[in-house]
Amino acid sequence: MKKVVIFYKKKNFWSGGPDLELLNIQIQEMENDGWELVSVTANTHLLGGISSFTLVIESPDNST
């Protein structure tokens, strides 16, 4: 089974982009739960700054 996850959490309201430390922690937690990270894509806003990330994850078994 594959899932698409959009990560957009920021450190605070005034932060310019997503919290990369929290993203890395959540990726590690997903991998510990058995999910495999297939791809990560940066999503930008109109001015070209990164506003979020799209992750494609996959479960090695079809039971999830």
Side-chain angles (χ1 to χ4, degrees):
M1 171 192 283
K2 290 186 179 181
K3 287 188 178 185
V4 176
V5 179
I6 298 176
F7 180 85
Y8 58 88
K9 294 182 182 178
K10 298 181 179 188
K11 285 186 178 184
N12 57 43
F13 180 76
W14 301 107
S15 178
D19 184 358
L20 296 180
E21 292 177 26
L22 182 58
L23 173 61
N24 287 327
I25 291 169
Q26 289 190 349
I27 288 173
Q28 186 66 40
E29 288 175 358
M30 285 187 275
E31 289 176 342
N32 290 340
D33 290 340
W35 291 93
E36 180 180 334
L37 183 64
V38 176
S39 71
V40 177
T41 305
N43 305 314
T44 59
H45 53 66
L46 188 59
L47 299 175
I50 296 174
S51 60
S52 64
F53 290 95
T54 300
L55 291 76
V56 177
I57 57 174
E58 168 176 65
S59 177
D61 59 350
N62 292 333
S63 64
T64 305

